Amino acid sequence: MRQRPKRDVAQEITNLIIATIEAGTLPWRRPWKKTGMGGAPLRAAGVPYTGINRLYLWAVADHYGYGSRYWMTWRQAIELGGKVRKGETAEPSIYFNSTKKTAIDQATGEESSKTIRFMRAYSVFNASQIDGLPPHFYPSPVPDPRPRRSDAPHRQQGAPDQRDRAKRGQQDQRP
């Protein structure tokens, strides 16, 4: 049985950041567009990601054009009634923490405490890669901020507008 090489998550994140900088973009300034729902990436429960996960998942969403802010594991997608599309690729989400371990020295009987730090990577999918989730996971179409010509107020020919009234008021006040 062949064993796959261990995934180097830190290197994947570093590579994305370096590629973004080499392309002339400083990722900590977040110049990329806010597609869809905009805003910071969210876990399935609506809690915002923090640290490197925020930067990385935001950059990945922008790179692939994902419109949703929501990210979740395969299992979370299933529990929410969704199904990850065939061929979709997950991205790493990093979890750092520490725990204290207390040990008693058998020879001296002294109690000692040791802090153990650990890192774990979870594979997450963007809601845009998943079918069948509840509607709030998917973005509504983003309105175009530019006014359309048909939305502009129409001025009737010859009808005075506010600017005309203001000019007349100024003319009436002249000596």
Side-chain angles (χ1 to χ4, degrees):
M1 179 174 168
R2 293 188 346 154
Q3 193 174 23
R4 290 188 295 170
K6 189 173 179 180
R7 186 175 189 177
D8 187 352
V9 176
Q11 191 61 52
E12 287 180 37
I13 293 170
T14 302
N15 291 345
L16 176 71
I17 292 170
I18 289 171
T20 305
I21 291 170
E22 286 175 348
T25 304
L26 301 176
W28 50 89
R29 290 194 179 161
R30 199 189 180 300
W32 50 80
K33 61 190 173 295
K34 289 184 177 181
T35 56
M37 297 172 164
L42 302 174
R43 294 180 181 93
V47 177
Y49 280 98
T50 58
I52 193 66
N53 290 322
R54 176 179 283 198
L55 176 69
Y56 182 71
L57 295 177
W58 223 339
V60 168
D62 185 63
H63 178 75
Y64 291 110
Y66 298 146
S68 179
R69 296 173 63 184
Y70 291 93
W71 293 82
M72 61 194 74
T73 64
W74 180 84
R75 184 173 303 214
Q76 288 172 321
I78 298 295
E79 289 171 358
L80 290 166
K83 183 176 181 185
V84 177
R85 286 187 216 107
K86 187 174 185 167
E88 294 289 357
T89 304
E91 297 297 331
S93 172
I94 311 303
Y95 177 69
F96 291 100
N97 206 346
S98 62
T99 186
K100 288 198 183 274
K101 184 175 181 179
T102 305
I104 299 175
D105 188 333
Q106 297 296 331
T108 63
E110 288 184 23
E111 191 174 287
S112 65
S113 182
K114 183 167 116 176
T115 300
I116 301 170
R117 290 179 179 83
F118 62 92
M119 178 182 96
R120 179 175 171 121
Y122 293 91
S123 297
V124 293
F125 295 90
N126 186 275
S128 298
Q129 299 173 282
I130 304 166
D131 293 324
L133 292 172
H136 76 274
F137 286 103
Y138 303 107
S140 300
V142 177
D144 189 353
R146 298 171 295 183
R148 294 180 301 191
R149 197 169 200 55
S150 61
D151 291 343
H154 293 289
R155 211 174 132 196
Q156 295 175 347
Q157 273 313 81
D161 69 1
Q162 293 292 358
R163 290 174 295 194
D164 292 336
R165 288 188 194 113
K167 285 179 191 173
R168 276 199 314 266
Q170 289 172 351
Q171 289 172 351
D172 293 342
Q173 293 175 359
R174 289 187 187 160

